[in-house]
Structure formats: structure tokens, C-alpha cells
Amino acid sequence: MTSLPDPIDLATALIRAESVTPARGAVFDVLEAALLPLGFVVERFVEGEAPDGPVENLLAVRGGSARHLAFAGHVDVVPAGEGWSVSPWSGEVRGGLLYGRGAVDMKGAVAAFVTAAATTPGAVSLIITGDEEGPATYGTPRLIERMRDRGVAPDLCLVGEPTSVARLGDTVKIGRRGSVNMTIDVPGRQGHVAYPHLADNPIPRLVQALAAVDAVVLDDGNAWFQPSNIEVTDLHVGNPAANVIPAKASARLSIRFNDEQSGAALAERIAAIVHAHAPGAIVTPRISGEAFLTPPGAFSALVSDAIGEHTGLVPDLSTTGGTSDARFLSRLCPTVEFGLVNATMHQTDEAVAVDDLRALAAIYAGVITRACA
């Protein structure tokens, strides 16, 4: 393997291409221009309609070895927000840090992998979406469909999410918990508080249902996952008057669950509890993704070896954190996640250490070499 080019230039160009989710256009132009000279066949496509789209995706494939490594990531970012000390789209380097929305999550990792692929041979593909930070309706799931249509079947998949906690290389994700969000709407009948017999107050039924849901202990966790948890995240009545019994009361809850549960079973269980206290309630679940685990083995070992070669660290294998697109990709092949230090992702003045970005490119090159051997 020859010396790697510097990933800073590509990372800067990606940051300067503003791409709040769902992303299209300029940021994909930058990425495509970087990939074509490296021997990749690049396919871009746009799918979906508002409110979840339209979304642009990119699939880039290069042959060259018997074993095929896929790198998955996203170039869409969350809104910048206010209070930055630099322009969030400047890609400014100051004090050894590269600033900009997406520097950590995860344009930096995309740039690092492209840099690694520039001088490291092997069968490699990039699965890049413009909709990871949003609902992901037209993002990675549609890329997976396109891969099946094209006969692209990776043996291993590395997702470049920012998994490191205190130092680059200290954590690799080998799984993630699943997620179910649910809304509960309890109907009643509006009326004057002085004449309760002429009305039907939905609030007590909703409160009773939520108390019963809150008392549920789903599991105690296991060797790789923390316990599943249910959190009530919103209560809403919207009653503008103090002397009116409302016609409806609503709530939202979110469940993060491990591999002892399934989204559908949880939705059914919660609905049954709610209906026991509020028979007329409408319970609407949205399953964002199922839990997955890639048991420690050859793939996590080769990623750990590449990390150790360049940092001297032995990474923790973890399943903590929120969901990622690995929840979809894990259905294709063994999937792990590794990327930059996540301390500033989604924050004001998001920034990555330039030394970390260069080290990440070297680690990714080591992963390609080991995976495609």
C-alpha cells in the first residue's frame, strides 16, 4: 500500500456542499467526482416525494478481489442551528480542527474511506444515502433494493458512523437496539366541567394506561445489550379553557429494545395494555428498525486489528447508542460500525481533529487490505 492522499480536501469540499436532510445535488457531485477517477462505477438515483423525499442516493462499485467490502454512510446532515463561531458550511481549519456541519457525522468518514480506497486495491463498494438523519424511507432501504437488482452482494459491511467516544479507535459498534415510536389517541366527549355526566373525560383513561405501560419491565438486558426501555415522551390535550372537559387526549412514547424483543410484538403488547384501560383508544406504532447483533468474530477482529495497528488501542465492542442504517444493512451480511470521535456531532461548532481524520483514512485502508485479502 502506498502512502495515502490527504482526506482533508475532500472532507472540506463535502462540508461546503450544504446538504441538510433530505440531501440531493451538489454534495453528490463532489463525491462522484472523487470516485470516478478511482475506477468506481457510480450510479446516482433520486426517489420519493414529500414529506419524506425526494432523496438522492449513490451506489459506487469497484471490483478487484474475491471478497467484497461495502462501506455505508450518509452525506445528509441535521440543520446547523445558531451560535456557530464559524460558518457551518465553511470547512474552516483552525487550531488543528476541521469545522463544519457533518465534519463528524459523517462527511469526514466518507472522505476518509474514499481516500483509503484511492491507494488500496480490492473489491469495494460505497452505499451512500442522502436520508439517514431523516425518516430513511427512501434512503438505505432503496439502496439495498438497487444492490439486489444489480447483483451487488458484499461479504462484509463497514458503516462509518462516529462510534469513538474519548479517543479515535476506542469503540466499535457490533449491534444496535431497535426502535418503536407510538402515538396513543384516547377519544372522549367534550362538555362543561359542571355537568360531567353529559361529557366523557378521556384524560383519566389515558393516565391510567400510561401508568400501566410505565410499570412494564421488558427485560433485564443480556451479555451484549442493555435493558429495553419504554419512555413516555409527550402528553397533549390542547384544552384552551379551564372549565371544559376535552374531547381527546393524546400521548407519544418511544421504546428502545434489544434483541430479546421485536418491534411488532412490542407494538401489540403496548396496544393491549392501553386498550385494557381505554378501549376506544387508537394506538399507532412506527417501527424504525429492529435490533441486530453481529457476534464478535472474524470481521470485528480484523477491524480491531486495523485500529490497533494505527492507534495501539483494543476497541470496546458495543451496542449502545441510537439507531443507524446498520439496522438495514445487517440483513445483507456481517455489519459493524466504526468512525470518528462523536463528542461534537449534531452540536454547534461540530469539528473533527485533522489528525484523527488522517488516522481514520489509514485505519480504513487497513480494513480494506484485510477484508479484501
Side-chain angles (χ1 to χ4, degrees), residues 223-249:
W224 287 108
F225 285 95
Q226 66 195 85
S228 303
N229 63 296
I230 306 171
E231 302 298 331
V232 178
T233 58
D234 183 59
L235 290 170
H236 180 74
V237 177
N239 192 349
N243 61 347
V244 174
I245 293 171
K248 185 176 77 170

Side-chain angles (χ1 to χ4, degrees), residues 188-193 195-202 205 244-246:
R189 185 169 65 254
Q190 184 174 312
H192 197 293
V193 297
Y195 302 93
H197 59 290
L198 299 178
D200 179 19
N201 194 335
R205 293 195 296 278
V244 174
I245 293 171

Side-chain angles (χ1 to χ4, degrees), residues 6-359:
D6 196 332
I8 305 304
D9 289 343
L10 178 55
T12 300
L14 290 170
I15 290 168
R16 288 176 177 171
E18 185 174 341
S19 56
V20 173
T21 193
R24 290 182 294 157
V27 69
F28 286 96
D29 295 340
V30 172
L31 184 56
E32 181 179 22
L35 289 169
L36 287 175
L38 305 182
F40 284 90
V41 175
V42 179
E43 181 179 3
R44 293 165 58 177
F45 60 97
V46 176
E47 290 200 10
E49 300 177 351
D52 292 353
V55 172
E56 185 162 5
N57 299 302
L58 179 147
L59 175 63
V61 182
R62 182 185 73 186
S65 61
R67 202 156 61 156
H68 176 177
L69 172 68
F71 175 86
H74 62 93
V75 289
D76 63 315
V77 298
V78 298
E82 303 295 329
W84 288 65
S85 64
V86 298
S87 167
W89 316 112
S90 67
E92 179 178 327
V93 176
R94 186 180 68 199
L97 298 175
L98 171 64
Y99 286 85
R101 177 58 82 222
V104 172
D105 189 16
M106 56 170 288
K107 293 180 178 181
V110 172
F113 190 85
V114 173
T115 299
T119 54
T120 311
V124 172
S125 60
L126 285 91
I127 307 165
I128 307 296
T129 182
D131 180 29
E132 193 274 345
E133 300 292 3
T137 304
Y138 301 111
T140 297
R142 298 302 177 91
L143 274 159
I144 291 172
E145 292 175 4
R146 188 64 59 102
M147 291 167 67
R148 288 173 175 152
D149 291 344
R150 301 292 184 267
V152 178
D155 298 290
L156 305 167
C157 184
L158 176 66
V159 181
E161 287 290 341
T163 61
S164 300
V165 179
R167 293 178 58 190
L168 177 69
D170 63 9
T171 306
V172 169
K173 304 281 189 183
I174 60 170
R176 295 274 189 163
R177 294 198 296 171
S179 174
V180 180
N181 295 306
M182 304 181 71
T183 59
I184 302 169
D185 297 305
V186 179
R189 185 169 65 254
Q190 184 174 312
H192 197 293
V193 297
Y195 302 93
H197 59 290
L198 299 178
D200 179 19
N201 194 335
I203 296 176
R205 293 195 296 278
L206 178 60
V207 170
Q208 291 166 7
L210 293 177
V213 169
D214 189 60
V216 172
V217 176
L218 293 173
D219 55 65
D220 297 319
N222 55 40
W224 287 108
F225 285 95
Q226 66 195 85
S228 303
N229 63 296
I230 306 171
E231 302 298 331
V232 178
T233 58
D234 183 59
L235 290 170
H236 180 74
V237 177
N239 192 349
N243 61 347
V244 174
I245 293 171
K248 185 176 77 170
S250 302
R252 291 199 303 264
L253 57 85
S254 182
I255 308 174
R256 296 301 170 99
F257 60 93
N258 59 36
D259 60 350
E260 296 183 16
Q261 313 290 339
S262 74
L266 287 170
E268 184 177 349
R269 181 176 179 181
I270 298 305
I273 293 171
V274 171
H275 289 144
H277 297 274
I282 299 171
V283 182
T284 307
R286 178 166 183 170
I287 301 170
S288 301
E290 300 291 339
F292 81 92
L293 176 70
T294 300
F299 189 23
S300 54
L302 76 83
V303 174
S304 297
D305 289 346
I307 291 169
E309 178 184 356
H310 293 281
T311 68
L313 298 176
V314 177
D316 292 330
L317 303 182
S318 171
T319 62
T320 59
T323 59
S324 76
D325 278 0
R327 68 192 189 271
F328 306 121
L329 296 156
S330 61
R331 303 170 192 166
L332 297 178
C333 60
T335 300
V336 302
E337 302 176 51
F338 171 65
L340 294 163
V341 176
N342 56 30
T344 63
M345 66 176 182
H346 292 201
Q347 294 186 13
T348 300
D349 280 351
E350 179 179 350
V352 59
V354 294
D355 288 345
D356 279 0
L357 199 52
R358 290 166 179 149

